[in-house]
Amino acid sequence: MKISTLLAGELEPRGAWFRYSMLTIAFVLLMIGLQDDLLGHSGNQKHLVVFIPFLLLINHLAFNFRWPRGLTIFLRASAMLWLLVVTIYIFTR
Protein backbone atom coordinates (compact mmCIF):
# COMPACT_ATOMS: atom_id res chain seq x y z
CA MET A 1 0.00 0.00 0.00
CA LYS A 2 1.32 3.40 -0.95
CA ILE A 3 1.72 6.18 1.61
CA SER A 4 -0.47 8.58 -0.40
CA THR A 5 -3.28 6.01 -0.45
CA LEU A 6 -2.95 5.43 3.27
CA LEU A 7 -2.96 9.14 4.13
CA ALA A 8 -5.60 10.42 1.72
CA GLY A 9 -7.43 7.39 0.32
CA GLU A 10 -11.10 6.73 0.86
CA LEU A 11 -12.00 4.00 3.34
CA GLU A 12 -15.18 1.97 3.48
CA PRO A 13 -17.78 4.06 5.29
CA ARG A 14 -19.22 2.75 8.54
CA GLY A 15 -22.66 3.38 9.92
CA ALA A 16 -23.42 6.57 11.78
CA TRP A 17 -24.37 4.62 14.91
CA PHE A 18 -20.88 3.05 15.08
CA ARG A 19 -19.02 6.26 14.30
CA TYR A 20 -20.77 8.44 16.86
CA SER A 21 -21.01 5.86 19.63
CA MET A 22 -17.27 5.10 19.36
CA LEU A 23 -16.56 8.84 19.28
CA THR A 24 -18.55 9.25 22.50
CA ILE A 25 -16.79 6.32 24.16
CA ALA A 26 -13.34 7.60 23.18
CA PHE A 27 -14.17 11.10 24.40
CA VAL A 28 -15.54 9.84 27.73
CA LEU A 29 -12.44 7.66 28.25
CA LEU A 30 -10.24 10.68 27.51
CA MET A 31 -12.13 12.82 30.04
CA ILE A 32 -11.90 10.10 32.70
CA GLY A 33 -8.18 9.74 31.99
CA LEU A 34 -7.61 13.48 32.22
CA GLN A 35 -9.48 13.66 35.51
CA ASP A 36 -7.48 10.73 36.87
CA ASP A 37 -4.19 12.18 35.64
CA LEU A 38 -4.86 15.68 36.99
CA LEU A 39 -6.03 14.44 40.39
CA GLY A 40 -3.06 12.09 40.65
CA HIS A 41 -4.85 8.80 41.34
CA SER A 42 -3.16 6.72 38.64
CA GLY A 43 0.00 5.67 40.48
CA ASN A 44 2.80 4.36 38.28
CA GLN A 45 0.75 4.61 35.08
CA LYS A 46 0.67 8.40 35.32
CA HIS A 47 0.16 9.52 31.74
CA LEU A 48 -0.88 6.24 30.14
CA VAL A 49 -4.49 6.85 31.21
CA VAL A 50 -4.50 9.89 28.90
CA PHE A 51 -2.24 8.70 26.06
CA ILE A 52 -4.22 5.61 25.08
CA PRO A 53 -7.71 7.23 25.03
CA PHE A 54 -6.26 10.15 23.05
CA LEU A 55 -4.73 7.64 20.62
CA LEU A 56 -8.12 5.96 20.26
CA LEU A 57 -9.85 9.31 19.73
CA ILE A 58 -7.46 10.66 17.11
CA ASN A 59 -7.40 7.36 15.21
CA HIS A 60 -11.19 7.24 15.20
CA LEU A 61 -11.44 10.83 13.95
CA ALA A 62 -8.79 10.24 11.29
CA PHE A 63 -10.07 6.98 9.84
CA ASN A 64 -13.85 6.94 10.39
CA PHE A 65 -14.99 10.40 9.36
CA ARG A 66 -14.83 12.33 6.10
CA TRP A 67 -12.79 15.51 6.15
CA PRO A 68 -11.39 17.81 3.46
CA ARG A 69 -8.31 16.27 1.84
CA GLY A 70 -5.73 18.44 3.65
CA LEU A 71 -7.28 17.81 7.05
CA THR A 72 -7.54 14.08 6.30
CA ILE A 73 -3.82 13.90 5.54
CA PHE A 74 -3.00 15.93 8.68
CA LEU A 75 -5.22 13.80 10.95
CA ARG A 76 -3.95 10.48 9.58
CA ALA A 77 -0.30 11.56 9.79
CA SER A 78 -0.92 12.82 13.34
CA ALA A 79 -2.60 9.53 14.27
CA MET A 80 0.36 7.52 13.00
CA LEU A 81 2.84 9.82 14.74
CA TRP A 82 0.88 9.59 18.00
CA LEU A 83 0.84 5.78 17.68
CA LEU A 84 4.63 5.88 17.41
CA VAL A 85 4.92 8.20 20.44
CA VAL A 86 2.66 6.02 22.60
CA THR A 87 4.47 2.84 21.54
CA ILE A 88 7.86 4.35 22.40
CA TYR A 89 6.47 5.63 25.72
CA ILE A 90 5.10 2.21 26.66
CA PHE A 91 8.23 0.25 25.80
CA THR A 92 10.78 2.68 27.25
CA ARG A 93 9.27 3.05 30.70
Side-chain angles (χ1 to χ4, degrees):
M1 177 179 280
K2 295 180 356 181
I3 287 261
S4 61
T5 305
L6 183 63
L7 291 178
E10 290 293 323
L11 298 174
E12 181 178 321
R14 302 209 177 173
W17 184 86
F18 171 79
R19 288 185 298 160
Y20 291 108
S21 62
M22 282 300 294
L23 183 64
T24 304
I25 290 169
F27 186 73
V28 167
L29 286 174
L30 180 63
M31 291 300 108
I32 291 170
L34 280 172
Q35 178 188 10
D36 193 40
D37 193 29
L38 292 175
L39 296 178
H41 298 299
S42 55
N44 65 350
Q45 307 232 342
K46 181 76 173 139
H47 303 296
L48 206 54
V49 294
V50 175
F51 287 171
I52 292 178
F54 186 73
L55 174 67
L56 181 67
L57 180 65
I58 196 164
N59 275 298
H60 187 68
L61 286 173
F63 291 101
N64 288 311
F65 288 91
R66 288 184 165 216
W67 304 100
R69 184 174 170 86
L71 187 57
T72 298
I73 293 171
F74 173 76
L75 279 172
R76 290 183 182 180
S78 298
M80 289 180 216
L81 179 65
W82 190 249
L83 177 63
L84 180 67
V85 167
V86 170
T87 303
I88 290 171
Y89 179 79
I90 289 172
F91 288 109
T92 58
R93 295 177 5 129

